[in-house]
Amino acid sequence: MLNEELQNYIDSLIQPRDGILSEMEEYALLNGVPIMEQAGIETMLQLLRIQQPETILEVGTAIGYSAMRMAFALPQANIITLERDEDRYELAVDYIKRAGMQDRITQIKGDALELEAEVGAHAPFDAIFIDAAKGQYKRFFELYSSYLKPGGMIITDNILFKGLVYNQEAESRRVRSLVKKIDEFNRWLAANEEYDTIILPIGDGVAVSKKR
């Protein structure tokens, strides 16, 4: 993870969002909705701009913030996004409709581990973004990577989990268990011979995996 002074400097260079994106950021902050940290999402968007994907699968919509950031940054892309929480799903429906993005962002409600058939109807994908239940990252990756095109990219957020994966001092048993699962996923991913993976110490940690 970057030291705080350096991270603050990088964050100060990121231009503020306005309109509905700013509104969503404020809502997320006030209501404890986890959205991707700005340095992390800017990195992801730049990688996607370079790749120029036409189809993206997002595992974990929350209120639709990252899906809309991708849609704004990539006018040619269509995004399929999955969310199991009903309240957040409905909020995302409203935000996406207000932004006029409902023709490019397709929402699917349900547990991502149970949606393979429905997702498969939209496959294959040029890119996959995983940002859902951290303890299920390996299962999400295994389930949906088969729908990724050769040369496609999978981006996974929160893989350093506030630094706890390398400085494992979590007090609660639940968090220690989650940290262990994330660490196991990182090691499995780094050794996966079907992908070239790099872990970027940006935001809360971002893994970028390119299919060979």
Side-chain angles (χ1 to χ4, degrees):
M1 305 290 285
L2 303 182
N3 67 54
E4 185 175 356
E5 186 177 1
L6 177 55
Q7 187 65 65
N8 288 339
Y9 173 73
I10 292 173
D11 289 344
S12 74
L13 298 177
I14 298 173
Q15 298 302 298
R17 280 68 50 208
D18 55 16
I20 195 168
L21 293 176
S22 177
E23 179 185 332
M24 294 173 78
E25 290 170 13
E26 183 177 0
Y27 178 90
L29 180 63
L30 293 175
N31 293 276
V33 177
I35 62 174
M36 197 173 186
E37 295 186 21
Q38 289 305 320
I41 200 164
E42 292 293 344
T43 299
M44 179 180 73
L45 293 176
Q46 190 72 340
L47 291 169
L48 292 174
R49 290 187 188 102
I50 293 168
Q51 185 199 20
Q52 288 293 299
E54 295 182 359
T55 54
I56 302 171
L57 171 65
E58 178 184 49
V59 182
T61 313
I63 60 172
Y65 180 76
S66 53
M68 284 178 45
R69 290 295 304 270
M70 290 188 284
F72 281 122
L74 304 159
Q76 80 288 353
N78 291 305
I79 300 153
I80 310 299
T81 184
L82 317 179
E83 178 58 48
R84 69 179 183 180
D85 184 279
E86 185 170 353
D87 291 338
R88 290 179 179 176
Y89 174 89
E90 294 299 336
L91 270 172
V93 168
D94 181 61
Y95 281 127
I96 290 167
K97 184 176 180 180
R98 286 172 54 196
M101 291 289 185
Q102 63 269 36
D103 60 332
R104 294 182 47 222
I105 301 175
T106 300
Q107 296 179 249
I108 302 176
K109 183 168 63 175
D111 189 323
L113 296 175
E114 301 172 355
L115 295 174
E116 183 179 5
E118 196 165 351
V119 170
H122 299 275
F125 301 100
D126 298 300
I128 298 174
F129 174 44
I130 300 175
D131 189 16
K134 300 172 187 62
Q136 302 293 343
Y137 274 2
K138 186 170 183 285
R139 295 180 68 190
F140 294 146
F141 196 105
E142 291 177 323
L143 184 62
Y144 291 114
S145 58
S146 61
Y147 296 104
L148 186 70
K149 295 179 184 178
M153 182 168 58
I154 300 179
I155 297 174
T156 312
D157 191 27
N158 303 120
I159 50 83
L160 295 181
F161 197 45
K162 303 174 184 177
L164 291 175
V165 291
Y166 60 87
N167 183 18
Q168 301 183 18
E169 297 181 352
E171 295 182 1
S172 76
R173 180 179 299 178
R174 184 190 69 82
V175 174
R176 287 197 301 270
S177 175
L178 181 55
V179 168
K180 181 180 178 182
K181 287 182 179 179
I182 297 173
D183 178 55
E184 290 173 348
F185 168 74
N186 291 344
R187 295 178 187 280
W188 171 83
L189 185 57
N192 191 321
E193 296 182 353
E194 296 182 13
Y195 291 84
D196 292 306
T197 294
I198 185 170
I199 291 178
L200 303 176
I202 295 169
D204 198 27
V206 178
V208 182
S209 306
K210 190 173 189 300
K211 192 172 186 178
R212 293 178 177 176

